[in-house]
Amino acid sequence: MDLRTAVEVIQAPLGETLQRLSAALDETIPHRAVAELSNCTFAPFKVRGQAPGAQITIADVAALRSLVPRRGAWQGRAVLAGVELPLVVLASDVPEQSSLLVLVRTEDTPLPEEVLAPAHSLWDLVTAHAEGLRNEAIPATLAVSRAAAAARAMTLSDLGDAYGTALTALLVVLRDRTVDDASARSRAVDLAVTALVDLRSRADIERALTEERAGTAFGRLADSLQRVLRGRGVRLDLGTPGAEEGADRLIPAEVASTASAVIRSAVHAMLDDQRDVSRVHVTWRVVGTALRATVRDDGPGTLTCGSLDRRHAAERLGPLGGKAEVDAVPGWGTTVAIEVPLGPPENPREDPLTVLGARELEVLGQLARGRRNREIAGDLHISESTVKFHVAKILEKLGVGSRGEAAALAHEWGAAAR
């Protein structure tokens, strides 16, 4: 496994990362299925392939966490999807909560360390890349994935299946005429209690992956801002949220990541595009159904909306329905007000880019940056005729008549940053 393989894996579109990772590992660790429980905002739980027995669930993978150190590898036999199977479990400690990769092996022979070590290093690289996307709230990532919606939909489906299975088991017990009433009640109670514990466990896992407390997220933001300002002679004042500001409210992880990225962009703009800034004040609070943040400086008050636009603030906020306003008063400083809805709007605009495939989105991103067909072909390692074909399909699917109109949509919906 070489560095080129690692590059190909992390450069893959988000929806294809697990597929390429599986292919890269299959030569040294042959496997029939792979499952990921990670820090990826796009979909923190993903499965590829089919293990013997039932479908692999998020709870199955989470239960394996106790077998492996916070960072390292474990191999052996364990229960997955109701069947004892030979597994390799890789754990990366790049995010705060370790990310797991589970490989369902095709054989039971122990693997040497020289096989496990490079596999673990590759998993570290993948999780580090995902952590960067999450923390910086890359516009294209938000636009394509709609944050963690896919993961939530998968978990809800998983919970529904578990609920149905529990009800079926209860009905089987209650309809069994060979069992007396007392025994039937006892078995039914045991089944119901077990099912409720399982359902609550899965719901807790889902919340841990896709939500975090507003106060905790603000603490992470504060740490990152301290690093930004270190050595620049600028004082950072923090309006740390309390209970009244919603510090204990659970908010979607993508909302916290997007707000944090835009706040960092605003701070960079204040320091890099102005002079004589000695103090920056940052606050955020949860008000109703939105997260509201302010960034205020004591500079000359010359900051413009263009400073934020150059740092992709609008592109980051757009997919989530958020907004940022700049109020600059010459001689008195600048205030940037940021608002991000906690959930989708009641009547959301339909994302026109959802009709495009992964490769078409890559071509559109290049096109939006003004690249010519030959340059796009070189960057994506495809022929010019293939680029022309993709461009024609993009214009047709988006219902536009020119590359310029397609580029405008790409900028509006975040694909230009891909």
Side-chain angles (χ1 to χ4, degrees):
M1 192 182 307
D2 56 20
L3 287 177
R4 184 62 202 172
T5 300
V7 170
E8 291 174 353
V9 172
I10 64 176
Q11 282 187 335
L14 288 173
E16 299 176 13
T17 301
L18 187 61
Q19 174 185 346
R20 294 201 189 177
L21 179 61
S22 175
L25 294 175
D26 194 56
E27 183 176 347
T28 55
I29 309 178
H31 54 276
R32 66 185 73 188
V34 59
E36 169 188 337
L37 185 60
S38 70
N39 58 326
C40 174
T41 305
F42 164 62
F45 177 64
K46 296 187 281 289
V47 177
R48 179 172 174 80
Q50 182 63 51
Q55 181 181 1
I56 299 174
T57 68
I58 190 173
D60 292 331
V61 176
L64 300 174
R65 196 181 295 277
S66 61
L67 299 176
V68 64
R70 179 175 177 83
R71 182 182 186 278
W74 178 90
Q75 59 177 320
R77 297 185 68 87
V79 175
L80 190 70
V83 180
E84 186 177 86
L85 300 166
L87 306 176
V88 166
V89 184
L90 305 175
S92 173
D93 63 351
V94 173
E96 293 182 6
Q97 186 178 31
S98 60
S99 296
L100 299 182
L101 185 73
V102 179
L103 300 162
V104 181
R105 297 184 59 199
T106 56
E107 54 188 59
D108 214 348
T109 308
L111 295 167
E113 179 62 23
E114 54 263 30
V115 170
L116 293 177
H120 186 265
S121 297
L122 179 58
W123 180 232
D124 272 344
L125 284 172
V126 171
T127 53
H129 178 63
E131 185 73 358
L133 293 178
R134 185 172 78 94
N135 288 337
E136 291 306 317
I138 305 301
T141 304
L142 293 169
V144 174
S145 69
R146 279 297 184 266
R152 287 193 174 123
M154 182 180 297
T155 304
L156 288 174
S157 174
D158 183 15
L159 292 175
D161 290 343
Y163 183 64
T165 301
L167 287 178
T168 300
L170 284 172
L171 287 174
V172 169
V173 171
L174 295 175
R175 288 174 175 173
D176 190 348
R177 296 184 179 182
T178 64
V179 181
D180 61 81
D181 289 349
S183 298
R185 282 197 298 272
S186 176
R187 288 173 59 183
V189 169
D190 287 343
L191 284 169
V193 169
T194 301
L196 283 173
V197 170
D198 186 41
L199 288 170
R200 288 172 180 170
S201 174
R202 296 181 193 210
D204 288 344
I205 294 169
E206 188 271 339
R207 281 194 295 270
L209 289 170
T210 59
E211 296 180 327
E212 63 180 324
R213 298 196 183 280
T216 302
F218 187 80
R220 289 195 299 105
L221 169 65
D223 290 342
S224 69
L225 290 177
Q226 294 284 5
R227 291 193 293 271
V228 170
L229 298 180
R230 188 174 297 149
R232 302 192 66 160
V234 177
R235 191 178 82 191
L236 175 64
D237 293 336
L238 298 170
T240 303
E244 293 184 357
E245 292 79 27
D248 293 329
R249 285 273 301 274
L250 287 171
I251 61 176
E254 70 273 10
V255 170
S257 297
T258 299
S260 297
V262 174
I263 288 171
R264 285 193 293 270
S265 295
V267 171
H268 278 293
M270 289 173 171
L271 300 182
D272 297 340
D273 297 358
Q274 301 182 120
R275 295 181 178 179
D276 301 324
V277 174
S278 62
R279 183 175 66 88
V280 174
H281 183 75
V282 179
T283 66
W284 83 7
R285 57 191 178 124
V286 180
V287 181
T289 60
L291 173 64
R292 295 178 182 173
T294 59
V295 187
R296 187 170 63 251
D297 69 22
D298 63 349
T302 57
L303 199 71
T304 66
C305 291
S307 295
L308 293 185
D309 290 341
R310 287 193 295 275
R311 291 169 174 82
H312 309 293
E315 292 177 25
R316 287 188 168 102
L317 292 167
L320 300 183
K323 61 182 180 180
E325 298 178 351
V326 178
D327 181 16
V329 180
W332 291 90
T334 302
T335 299
V336 177
I338 301 159
E339 181 173 318
V340 188
L342 300 182
E346 293 183 3
N347 297 303
R349 289 177 60 198
E350 184 178 354
D351 182 355
L353 305 186
T354 56
V355 300
L356 302 180
R359 177 61 83 181
E360 290 167 340
L361 284 168
E362 289 182 320
V363 172
L364 178 61
Q366 297 271 347
L367 185 152
R369 293 198 291 274
R371 301 284 179 84
R372 297 181 180 276
N373 289 349
R374 179 176 298 179
E375 295 172 310
I376 297 174
D379 280 352
L380 301 183
H381 306 292
I382 56 180
S383 67
E384 282 192 66
S385 61
T386 301
V387 174
K388 292 178 182 178
F389 172 79
H390 284 311
V391 171
K393 295 298 292 183
I394 289 169
L395 299 184
E396 177 186 344
K397 288 184 176 182
L398 296 182
V400 297
S402 69
R403 295 164 69 103
E405 291 179 72
L409 284 176
H411 283 289
E412 181 180 358
W413 290 93
R418 178 171 286 275

